[in-house]
Amino acid sequence: MMCAIEAGKRGRRVLVLDHAKAPGEKIRISGGGRCNFTNIHASPKNFLSANPRFCISALSRYRPADFIALVDRHGIAWHEKTLGQLFCDGSSRQIVDMLLAEMKAACAELRLQAPVERLERAGEGFRLSAGGAEIACASLVIATGGKSIPKMGATGFGYQVAERFGLKVVETRPGLVPLTFEPGLLSRLAPLAGVSVGVRVACGKTRFEEAMLFTHRGLSGPAILQISSYWREGQAIAVDMAPGVDVFAALRAARAERSRQAVATALAQHLPKRLAELICETHGAGGNLADAGDKRLRAVAEGVNAWTVKPVGSEGYRTAEVTVGGVDTDALDSRTMAAKSVPGLYFVGEVVDVTGWLGGYNFQWAWASGWCAGQAV
């Protein structure tokens, strides 16, 4: 839709094909129905790609302030949550309606329930069959997203198109997705399902500090969704469940002041009660502080400040918010999003190997990459 708006403004005759029944469904469900439509801190450092520099051009030419200005022009009220995330005060449908209104003003046509059945090169342009109609075009933009949330109609169509025209695709996998544990560990952690705690989680050199949620399948919450995009099967993650607190020092101080207090009670000053109790039980510290030596307290502290755990997998595309990987950026022009080897063919948004962090970054990439393509098609 963003690309269509910009191309229409330039006087191009534009047709948007969507196999769904309604436009912008991922916009509609995002942000709990309020659409986290951008992030004021969006910059290249907030994105994953085999070529981290590819997104620089688009993100610098169409910034969060540009989309905010569009939202303001349409009178849509919004607010900032944590970490620069911007949400609508009302429904996310306002963003969809805004884009549809902009498309209409730019004379861009939208055709719903029109899946592409056939696509081929035709001279210097393209010919396709979609929704029972035969269509010819000079330029073709693939803005189909990734495989995330298949129940909403997500498919690998965009990657198939890229490969059909000889473009490489970087291996895809679920991103911004809950991580899962093996049955034995799940059984031990079962009492914690529903418990949330602020953490600092790391995988390799990458780390995030946000909330973590224990679930009946493993771990979720913003911190885990963030690190999941960097995690690969077989790797462990390190979790500090009391960032900024030296738990060993805190427990020793508590022992000196309140030796008859239970270790779990002292630990619960820094963690949710259920979590504190389970950690103490795991490390054999179920009694009072007076009965726990430094070795025992250090083991408890490490269980809090340096919990290392190896997930067995993720919940997959079913719940993943994005797809990591995609059309190889080496095959694309970073200013126009055009395929270098196929004149007239463009790829924008999530289908490209550019994946943002949680918090409005992926929408900003969609707006920016779509805007860039719209200036060139």
Side-chain angles (χ1 to χ4, degrees):
M1 288 191 282
M2 196 72 185
C3 179
I5 292 163
E6 293 303 313
K9 287 178 180 177
R10 294 175 46 243
R12 298 304 304 271
R13 186 181 176 197
V14 182
L15 170 64
V16 176
L17 298 173
D18 192 336
H19 71 281
K21 294 180 180 179
E25 281 294 88
K26 279 198 174 180
I27 297 174
R28 181 183 63 81
I29 69 166
S30 69
R34 292 186 183 274
C35 188
N36 180 189
F37 57 82
T38 192
N39 192 298
I40 59 175
H41 302 309
S43 72
K45 71 176 184 179
N46 307 116
F47 293 83
L48 295 77
S49 175
N51 176 7
R53 297 186 59 80
F54 179 82
C55 63
I56 293 176
S57 177
L59 292 173
S60 62
R61 291 166 62 212
Y62 191 86
R63 299 175 181 273
D66 297 313
F67 195 77
I68 293 168
L70 178 60
V71 170
D72 287 343
R73 284 204 303 275
H74 282 259
I76 299 173
W78 54 270
H79 60 278
E80 179 183 347
K81 282 194 176 179
T82 58
L83 305 174
Q85 302 169 40
L86 303 190
F87 289 78
C88 297
D89 286 357
S91 169
S92 56
R93 289 183 183 275
Q94 294 175 291
I95 300 296
V96 178
D97 291 343
M98 175 190 78
L99 294 170
L100 292 174
E102 289 285 319
M103 282 178 59
K104 184 177 181 180
C107 299
E109 179 186 346
L110 171 64
R111 196 171 297 174
L112 297 170
Q113 294 182 277
V116 174
E117 291 118 16
R118 180 176 55 82
L119 169 60
E120 60 189 17
R121 191 76 161 145
E124 295 184 356
F126 303 87
R127 183 180 296 113
L128 57 157
S129 299
E134 295 294 315
I135 302 162
C137 59
S139 298
L140 179 67
V141 181
I142 304 298
T144 52
K147 302 176 185 177
S148 308
I149 318 182
K151 71 178 181 181
M152 295 193 66
T155 71
F157 177 79
Y159 311 132
Q160 296 164 14
V161 172
E163 291 174 335
R164 185 182 308 170
F165 286 100
L167 279 67
K168 293 181 179 179
V169 175
V170 175
E171 178 190 4
T172 58
R173 66 183 194 277
L176 299 182
V177 62
L179 299 176
T180 58
F181 292 152
E182 51 88 12
L185 180 56
L186 274 183
S187 178
R188 293 194 296 276
L189 297 179
L192 298 180
V195 171
S196 179
V197 60
V199 303
R200 182 185 298 123
V201 61
C203 183
K205 295 180 179 179
T206 304
R207 63 193 64 239
F208 292 95
E209 189 167 332
E210 290 191 66
M212 180 180 79
L213 175 70
F214 289 90
T215 74
H216 62 285
R217 291 191 181 94
L219 296 174
S220 187
I224 297 301
L225 298 185
Q226 295 280 39
I227 209 67
S228 72
S229 296
Y230 294 83
W231 175 83
R232 301 302 291 263
E233 197 165 325
Q235 289 182 308
I237 59 173
V239 185
D240 180 352
M241 292 182 278
V245 177
D246 183 335
V247 172
F248 177 58
L251 290 177
R252 290 190 75 198
R255 184 178 60 189
E257 297 171 9
R258 303 177 297 278
S259 62
R260 293 186 179 181
Q261 186 178 56
V263 179
T265 301
L267 189 58
Q269 301 297 312
H270 310 286
L271 297 175
K273 183 180 178 182
R274 270 191 285 166
L275 178 56
E277 290 174 345
L278 185 63
I279 290 173
C280 288
E281 179 185 324
T282 299
H283 294 283
N288 293 337
L289 287 162
D291 302 320
D294 280 1
K295 184 177 180 180
R296 188 80 65 192
L297 294 186
R298 194 178 295 279
V300 169
E302 288 182 358
V304 177
N305 288 139
W307 181 42
T308 300
V309 63
K310 185 181 290 187
V312 295
S314 76
E315 291 190 5
Y317 291 114
R318 180 181 65 84
T319 59
E321 296 198 18
V322 294
T323 302
V324 180
V327 178
D328 194 332
T329 58
D330 285 348
L332 306 177
D333 183 310
S334 64
R335 281 189 62 80
T336 65
M337 310 304 294
K340 296 174 183 176
S341 60
V342 187
L345 181 62
Y346 300 77
F347 292 84
V348 300
E350 189 184 344
V351 74
V352 179
D353 176 32
V354 175
T355 306
W357 291 0
L358 183 72
Y361 297 102
N362 287 290
F363 273 133
Q364 185 58 34
W365 170 245
W367 316 140
S369 60
W371 183 91
C372 288
Q375 310 307 310
V377 292

